[in-house]
């Protein structure tokens, strides 16, 4: 049974999944030990820094990773060196990081006063953590594009393992500085990158350069898509406060419920790094059967994950949020059913978005998420109970985004390349040899 399941998911899912599991555990340990050793105000400062770092990381640096992975995978099929892609990707990440650092420096006084409880040392820690994410995501893009998923998972695992070891050392020695716990987010990922740099360094070579214009066009649209996707999945709790600022109980309960129903999204993360290069390889070689087969298998896997998670959440969700998070009894089985359907549709949109990227159709993905966000806004407007309005917004936004992506994929298909430029099919597609 396990072997059959592993054959369904893209190659590389298992090592990446193991690495992500270690990072997930590290996040819990990091925050738990910090919460036990820091004063309430200091822990609040660390929590704010954590939220800013990872929100920006997903929005701006993960698209760099995806675009580098796509281009490296496509060049590999033509036996072109990936070095020029790394150079361009690193340059873009450096420029984006520079803009973020300038913004951080320019607002240092405001950040210190309003977010970090008057501790100015948290501002450089924030900058360092953003720099670490820029380096990590750029190198992971190269590893993903080269299908070095063992190295990719190792980098994640080292990052998570180092975080656990460092925060444990801080806790044992009684360190009570929020800056020290924040610097773990700098030291751990940079050390993990250094220890897994060998296959990335070997890609540094001369070759045909990557034009700036298509790269920047694709990356800009990808960043827009990434930010809009985060709006669809994360705006619900914010909307509760906007629609009814006094309804604190629903906001807290909804956040706890989303933690449960989004577990399939975490599992999908282990597939995502392997899915895009596989689809890009099939698209670049004109192997339409392999492209469709990988896309259909991935949709089948996320459908199974979403359906199973949704059934369990609808049945046991109201009890679990009370038992695990001590939330008020304001959400019922119907609320969890809506959230589960929305999460399943969101999973479909994530997979279909990877298919659009593999066909170099960044504008189509951005259009789909734009329409999805617009649908979310419209669905949230009717004068219904606040929780239902938010749940409908998440559901309608995700369903509409996925539906638009399906339509765009069916409407435009890239023709296969001429036989003179055809390349051997790598082992990560269904036509390759394991």
């Amino acid at each position: 049974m396990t072997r059959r399941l592993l054959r369904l998911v893209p190659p590389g899912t298992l090592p990446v999944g193991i690495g992500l599991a270690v990072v997930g555990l590290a996040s819990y340990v990091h925050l738990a030990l910090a919460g036990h050793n820091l004063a309430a105000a200091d822990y609040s400062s660390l929590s704010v820094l954590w939220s800013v770092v990872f929100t920006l990381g997903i929005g701006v640096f993960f698209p760099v990773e995806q675009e580098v992975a796509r281009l490296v995978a496509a060049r590999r099929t033509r036996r072109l060196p990936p070095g020029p892609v790394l150079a361009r990707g690193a340059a873009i990440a450096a420029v984006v990081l520079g803009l973020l650092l300038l913004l951080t420096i320019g607002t240092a006084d405001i950040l210190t006063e309003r977010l970090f409880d008057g501790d100015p040392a948290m501002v450089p820690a924030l900058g360092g953590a953003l720099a670490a994410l820029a380096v990590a995501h750029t190198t992971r893009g190269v590893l993903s594009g080269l299908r070095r998923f063992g190295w990719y998972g190792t980098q994640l695992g080292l990052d998570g393992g180092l975080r656990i070891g460092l925060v444990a050392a801080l806790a044992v020695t009684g360190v009570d500085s929020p800056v020290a716990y924040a610097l773990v987010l700098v030291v751990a990922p940079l050390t993990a990158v250094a220890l897994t740099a060998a296959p990335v360094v070997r890609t540094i070579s001369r070759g045909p350069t990557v034009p700036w214009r298509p790269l920047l066009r694709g990356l800009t649209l990808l960043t827009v898509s990434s930010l809009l996707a985060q709006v669809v999945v994360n705006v619900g709790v914010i909307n509760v406060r906007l629609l009814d600022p006094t309804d604190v109980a629903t906001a807290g309960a909804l956040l706890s419920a989303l933690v449960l129903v989004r577990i399939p999204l975490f599992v999908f993360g282990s597939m995502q790094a392997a899915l895009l290069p596989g689809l890009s390889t099939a698209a670049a070689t004109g192997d339409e059967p392999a492209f469709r087969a990988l896309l259909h298998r991935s949709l089948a896997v996320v459908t199974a994950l979403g359906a199973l998670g949704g059934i369990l959440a609808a049945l046991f969700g109201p009890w679990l949020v009370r038992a695990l998070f001590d939330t008020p009894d304001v959400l019922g089985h119907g609320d969890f059913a809506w959230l589960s359907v929305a999460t399943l549709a969101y999973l479909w949109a994530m997979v279909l978005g990877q298919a659009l990227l593999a066909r170099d159709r960044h504008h189509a993905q951005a259009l789909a998420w734009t329409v999805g966000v617009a649908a979310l806004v419209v669905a949230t407007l009717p004068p219904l109970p606040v929780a239902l309005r938010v749940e409908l917004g998440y559901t309608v936004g995700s369903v509409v985004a996925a539906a638009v992506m399906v339509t765009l994929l069916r409407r435009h298909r890239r023709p296969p390349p001429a036989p003179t430029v055809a390349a051997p099919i790598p082992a990560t597609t269904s036509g390759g040899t394991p």
Side-chain angles (χ1 to χ4, degrees), residues 115-152:
L115 300 183
F116 300 138
D117 197 36
D119 188 349
M122 292 292 282
V123 175
L126 170 62
L130 290 173
L133 277 182
V135 174
H137 280 296
T138 303
T139 57
R140 289 173 193 170
V142 175
L143 294 174
S144 176
L146 292 174
R147 298 170 202 84
R148 305 301 295 269
F149 298 116
W151 284 95
Y152 189 111

Side-chain angles (χ1 to χ4, degrees), residues 94-106:
V95 170
V96 173
L97 174 63
L99 293 175
L100 290 177
L101 292 180
L102 285 176
L103 179 62
T104 302
I105 294 171

Side-chain angles (χ1 to χ4, degrees), residues 333-368:
H333 298 283
D335 297 296
F336 278 88
W338 277 115
L339 293 173
S340 299
V341 170
T343 300
L344 175 56
Y346 189 85
L347 282 166
W348 270 65
M350 294 297 288
V351 173
L352 294 166
Q354 300 294 287
L356 288 169
L357 290 181
R359 293 192 184 279
D360 198 19
R361 303 196 55 219
H362 302 66
H363 64 287
Q365 188 194 34
L367 173 63

